[in-house]
Amino acid sequence: DGLSFSVISYNVLLPNGEDGWWIYKYYRDPGDGTIAAWPHRQRLLREQLAHAGADFVCLQECSDLTFEDDFAFLRDAGYECALHEKKGRMRPATFWAAD
């Protein structure tokens, strides 16, 4: 009917390695830190978000310092984006399917 759309929303826990030191407190047992490190989490997000096929992807706790690099995989998947202004280092972002 053309009137419906799909949305997926994630808190990405301030992903970049430059400012994400506190992320480890969210893991009960981070082991050697591999699963909490951004490259591992980025791979999981790429698999889940890029393949979900959502019309809109809403992300919380993005970093303006590394946003373009952190989420280039969504642009490569055909999404446009806006990193929203907010005080502090964590910002929300919205991606939408370009088609």
Side-chain angles (χ1 to χ4, degrees):
D1 63 14
L3 299 176
S4 61
F5 59 88
S6 58
V7 178
I8 191 167
S9 180
Y10 274 74
N11 183 319
V12 296
L13 301 171
L14 191 63
N16 74 79
E18 294 177 34
D19 196 20
W21 60 268
W22 55 272
I23 188 68
Y24 300 99
K25 73 181 183 180
Y26 290 105
Y27 289 85
R28 183 172 294 147
D29 180 13
D32 64 1
T34 304
I35 62 168
W38 175 239
H40 176 76
R41 293 185 299 117
Q42 184 185 42
R43 183 182 56 77
L44 293 175
L45 284 168
R46 181 183 306 114
E47 291 171 5
Q48 294 174 13
L49 297 177
H51 299 294
D55 297 310
F56 295 93
V57 176
C58 302
L59 303 178
Q60 303 153 32
E61 295 190 12
C62 299
S63 170
D64 62 328
L65 299 175
T66 57
F67 180 75
E68 294 298 324
D69 291 333
D70 290 341
F71 299 103
F73 67 88
L74 285 171
R75 284 196 178 253
D76 293 344
Y79 287 91
E80 297 293 327
C81 68
L83 180 64
H84 304 287
E85 292 295 322
K86 182 181 172 229
K87 289 183 181 182
R89 64 182 187 234
M90 295 184 275
R91 298 187 181 178
T94 305
F95 291 81
W96 59 92
D99 58 1

